[in-house]
Amino acid sequence: ETDDIDGIMPLSPFTAQRVDYSLHRLSHYTATRPVHFQNYVLFTNYQFYIDEFCALARRLMAEGGGGYERFIEPGNLITE
């Protein structure tokens, strides 16, 4: 959608305040800095699933990464 007067489009569909709030919430719930986020964030309310996902990703990285460059865990622990 463009502005009727000069055809200028907004940079984002959300205000800067809303983006900032959302990034802070994501950081709070994931224990990970927003700079590490990609297109998808996996949420679960069961710690068991998080532990299993982290163990699987660590094994994958130890075996060469399977096409991934790094795995970033909650707490910003980075495995290359």
Side-chain angles (χ1 to χ4, degrees):
E1 182 174 316
T2 62
D3 183 284
D4 292 336
I5 298 173
D6 55 15
I8 295 175
M9 295 179 64
L11 295 176
S12 171
F14 305 111
T15 65
Q17 293 87 350
R18 184 171 173 184
V19 171
D20 186 59
Y21 176 79
S22 297
L23 290 175
H24 278 86
R25 291 291 80 207
L26 281 170
S27 181
H28 171 77
Y29 285 113
T30 63
T32 305
R33 291 179 44 221
V35 69
H36 299 303
F37 296 153
Q38 295 183 27
N39 291 337
Y40 302 97
V41 176
L42 176 66
F43 285 101
T44 179
N45 60 345
Y46 297 105
Q47 186 62 43
F48 170 80
Y49 292 131
I50 300 296
D51 296 340
E52 288 299 308
F53 180 79
C54 289
L56 175 70
R58 281 189 224 106
R59 282 193 302 274
L60 180 67
M61 297 310 295
E63 295 169 356
Y68 294 97
E69 294 179 10
R70 65 189 56 86
F71 170 57
I72 303 165
E73 299 183 45
N76 300 301
L77 178 61
I78 300 172
T79 302
E80 300 288 339

